[in-house]
Amino acid sequence: MNAQLHHLTLDRPAATRLENEQQAIVVARELAERFGATASRRDHERLLPFAELNALSQSGLLAITVPEEYGGLDVSNAVLAEITAILSEADGSIGQIPQNHFYILEALRTNGTEEQKRHFFARALAGDRFGNALSERGTKTVGHYETRITRDGFGYRINGRKYYSTGVLFADWIAIFALSETDRLVMAIVPKETDGVEVIDDWDGFGQRTTGSGTTILNNVYVGADSIVSHHKGFERPSTIGSVGQIIHAGIDLGIARAAFAEMLEFVRTKSRPWMDSGVERACDDPLTIARIGQIAVRLEAASATVKHAGRKVDRAQIATTEEEVVAATLAVAAAKVLTTEIAIEATNTLFELAGTSSVKLGLNLDRHWRNARTHTLHDPVRWKYHVVGNYHLNGVIPPKNGAL
């Protein structure tokens, strides 16, 4: 490894080494309780969660997917999704930020060299955070890129402009995705402080307001050859890169839905009035309200079970990465993403439907759940997931290989 990969020294405590999956879930719940207490204020005032991300780093949760042979816990993908849901229920922005971090670690596991794996997995175990400079605006589709990486002596130079750079503000390392001189997509991992990297905090979305998903400008950024990962290879053969990324997205939506459901129950029990024709004294005794809450509860349960089921299929595909296992994982994760998208939007809408007019007061900030759900569920359109699943079952068409599946 060149000097670029050894320069980083961070002034924060060493990360905890978690011993098992149950401990990881307990730690996630403890952090969620802490994060949830101030989540509304952070959203309302757009206070970026630097302290919270440092706590997340120190907790050891950011290393839970590091393979065992590199010193990690290598948790089940069902557990990864559940931990994501726990954090997202507390704060939909904080739950979103590590998604790219885990995607990058999976890309490294799949296509990194042994030297890259040893180095970067060790950094994850130490608590380092990886951010993502992937998406661009103004291209033909989200799958097209204008950012270029070109040879310069023993290394490379990168030039381009990225948007939706979720988590980069909080990152220690940035994974920059760029097209090579042969139009192959590569992932270059550089320290955030690298000359030529400019991160702009200009994210102004109405939801997930504190994810730091702004602009990253890359002006003749130098990167050593040993920091380049051939990302395109992960989509030229069966792999679980997309499935891991997508099941985390499902966990985010599931957590947001759970948060809205909990707020709805509390509000209806303690603040809502019954409808005048209901003939009951309390809103929580209204039979139509009870039935509607039952519908949401059933769909939440179904979404949770589907995410867990999909996680197990991704586990199998990581062990036996055959076309058959990867397709099974892809289809299961697509189903999980569909159900969690739909329940996130439905639960956040129903919160106001059942809680009533008083629930829209600005001081309550309950709309943050709807705003977070509506914003996050725009990542990957579920209409295309229905198409992928249907096309496979009806016509035997193998799902496309990309990061959105």
Side-chain angles (χ1 to χ4, degrees):
M1 280 288 159
N2 61 33
Q4 184 182 40
L5 298 185
H6 289 290
H7 92 293
L8 206 61
T9 57
L10 300 174
D11 185 20
R12 60 173 177 243
T16 300
R17 291 293 184 100
L18 300 173
E19 296 180 0
N20 53 59
E21 292 182 342
Q22 186 55 45
Q23 184 188 11
I25 290 174
V26 168
V27 169
R29 286 174 178 158
E30 290 171 349
L31 285 177
E33 184 175 2
R34 172 177 162 186
F35 297 163
T38 51
S40 179
R41 180 169 175 259
R42 276 194 302 277
D43 172 87
H44 183 68
E45 300 178 23
R46 198 177 179 274
L47 301 173
L48 296 174
F50 286 100
E52 288 76 14
L53 264 293
N54 283 339
L56 189 59
S57 286
Q58 189 178 354
S59 74
L61 288 177
L62 295 183
I64 57 175
T65 63
V66 172
E68 290 182 4
E69 58 266 38
Y70 298 96
L73 191 54
D74 199 11
V75 299
S76 161
N77 287 282
V79 171
L80 174 62
E82 179 59 23
I83 286 172
T84 301
I86 290 168
L87 295 174
S88 299
E89 182 176 356
D91 186 320
S93 289
I94 289 178
Q96 166 69 34
I97 291 168
Q99 191 276 336
N100 290 314
H101 170 94
F102 289 118
Y103 179 92
I104 292 161
L105 294 185
E106 179 65 8
L108 275 167
R109 189 190 69 81
T110 303
N111 292 314
T113 65
E114 281 304 308
E115 192 176 18
Q116 288 169 338
K117 292 176 187 179
R118 285 196 302 271
H119 178 78
F120 289 117
F121 286 151
R123 297 316 311 161
L125 287 166
D128 286 9
R129 299 189 290 267
F130 294 78
N132 187 330
L134 170 65
S135 297
E136 301 178 16
R137 291 194 296 184
T139 56
K140 181 179 179 181
T141 73
V142 296
H144 289 81
Y145 306 94
E146 294 181 352
T147 299
R148 287 283 176 174
I149 182 168
T150 55
R151 174 71 71 172
D152 181 12
F154 292 107
Y156 293 85
R157 297 282 177 178
I158 303 178
N159 286 278
R161 189 182 186 97
K162 299 292 187 174
Y163 199 61
Y164 308 121
S165 306
T166 300
V168 166
L169 276 180
F170 315 100
D172 305 303
W173 302 89
I174 302 178
I176 304 168
F177 293 81
L179 290 179
S180 70
E181 292 165 323
T182 57
D183 287 334
R184 300 295 185 90
L185 188 64
V186 302
M187 180 175 75
I189 304 177
V190 303
K192 188 172 70 174
E193 298 84 0
T194 300
D195 288 344
V197 174
E198 181 182 1
V199 178
I200 303 174
D201 180 22
D202 59 354
W203 169 244
D204 63 351
F206 64 65
Q208 293 189 304
R209 298 185 66 225
T210 61
T211 57
S213 301
T215 299
T216 302
I217 298 172
L218 309 160
N219 184 17
N220 214 32
V221 175
Y222 181 80
V223 56
D226 52 2
S227 295
I228 307 295
V229 179
S230 299
H231 191 58
H232 60 91
K233 291 183 178 178
F235 303 108
E236 294 170 355
R237 67 185 194 281
S239 81
T240 52
I241 298 174
S243 293
V244 169
Q246 286 295 302
I247 202 167
I248 300 169
H249 280 308
I252 295 164
D253 292 333
L254 181 60
I256 294 170
R258 288 175 179 172
F261 185 69
E263 297 268 27
M264 176 173 58
L265 294 179
E266 177 65 16
F267 206 98
V268 171
R269 286 185 188 125
T270 62
K271 297 182 179 68
S272 296
R273 295 182 294 176
W275 182 241
M276 58 187 177
D277 296 327
S278 66
V280 298
E281 296 296 319
R282 302 181 305 164
C284 59
D285 293 326
D286 182 334
L288 299 183
T289 296
I290 293 171
R292 185 74 177 109
I293 285 174
Q295 285 182 326
I296 300 298
V298 167
R299 290 168 187 171
L300 260 176
E301 183 70 18
S304 297
T306 304
V307 170
K308 187 174 183 179
H309 172 72
R312 290 171 176 164
K313 289 203 171 186
V314 179
D315 292 344
R316 288 199 291 271
Q318 285 178 323
I319 295 168
T321 314
T322 63
E323 185 84 77
E324 181 181 8
E325 293 289 357
V326 168
V327 167
T330 298
L331 296 175
V333 171
K337 188 63 174 67
V338 166
L339 293 185
T340 54
T341 291
E342 293 177 349
I343 191 56
I345 294 171
E346 186 177 11
T348 53
N349 276 330
T350 305
L351 163 60
F352 298 103
E353 174 191 334
L354 298 185
T357 307
S358 60
S359 64
V360 304
K361 293 176 66 175
L362 287 175
L364 297 173
N365 200 25
L366 294 178
D367 61 299
R368 73 185 186 277
H369 303 301
W370 181 88
R371 289 186 285 104
N372 287 339
R374 185 63 282 178
T375 299
H376 182 257
T377 54
L378 297 176
H379 271 79
D380 307 291
V382 296
R383 62 186 180 275
W384 276 102
K385 297 187 188 300
Y386 277 120
H387 176 269
V388 164
V389 173
N391 210 18
Y392 175 79
H393 287 292
L394 182 62
N395 298 315
V397 176
I398 300 298
K401 294 178 175 63
N402 59 54
L405 285 169

